[in-house]
Amino acid sequence: MTESTTAPDLRTGRCQCGDIAYEVTGVPDDPHLCSCEHCTLLSGSPAMSWAGFRRETLIWTGRCGEPTWYATWPTLSRGFCPRCGTHLVSVADGSDMVMVTTFSLTEQIDGLEPLGHSFRQRAVPWMRVDLAPDPLHL
């Protein structure tokens, strides 16, 4: 009998221009949409799609290294490409998790369907929300 030697699920992501790229591994946590003021302003859309991964699995692999960081809250920073503006990640101070923008991933979005919607009360009235509410932001 042979032991399984498969690596944890590897997912890769990048910005639109390709300067900033990353890898994350493991089981995604908390795939969700968010309609908070920060996400809607940053994206110019009614919601952003996020999925969490263990922070220690995040590796910056692109030719320009890490993204530029912007604090959207005193304890929350978001990483984006300074060249094309693509928003890639969000990290809370002291958190073991990093949230990646689902659609910055390059193809491996299976299993990342949003399960909830944070700040759904802020969603635009024409956006139909059938996902479970975020229990922290009811």
Side-chain angles (χ1 to χ4, degrees), residues 11-50:
R11 296 173 193 254
T12 59
R14 65 174 181 81
C15 66
Q16 185 174 6
C17 71
D19 279 358
I20 309 292
Y22 66 90
E23 294 178 351
V24 288
T25 56
V27 177
D29 183 48
D30 190 25
H32 70 283
L33 297 178
C34 184
S35 290
C36 77
E37 180 180 11
H38 304 277
C39 286
T40 56
L41 285 171
L42 287 170
S43 67
S45 67
M48 287 183 81
S49 182
W50 298 97

Side-chain angles (χ1 to χ4, degrees), residues 54-107:
R54 301 287 306 167
R55 193 172 182 171
E56 69 268 9
T57 73
L58 175 67
I59 300 169
W60 298 108
T61 60
R63 65 180 170 265
C64 290
E66 283 197 31
T68 296
W69 295 94
Y70 177 72
T72 58
W73 194 252
T75 59
L76 184 71
S77 295
R78 301 187 190 232
F80 66 95
C81 175
R83 182 171 175 220
C84 69
T86 301
H87 288 267
L88 300 163
V89 298
S90 176
V91 179
D93 291 352
S95 176
D96 294 335
M97 301 299 288
V98 60
M99 301 303 289
V100 302
T101 54
T102 305
F103 292 97
S104 68
L105 291 165
T106 54
E107 298 176 24

Side-chain angles (χ1 to χ4, degrees), residues 101-124:
T101 54
T102 305
F103 292 97
S104 68
L105 291 165
T106 54
E107 298 176 24
Q108 310 92 339
I109 61 171
D110 291 342
L112 297 181
E113 296 81 11
L115 300 177
H117 190 149
S118 298
F119 296 91
R120 69 186 307 150
Q121 75 280 6
R122 292 187 51 87
V124 292

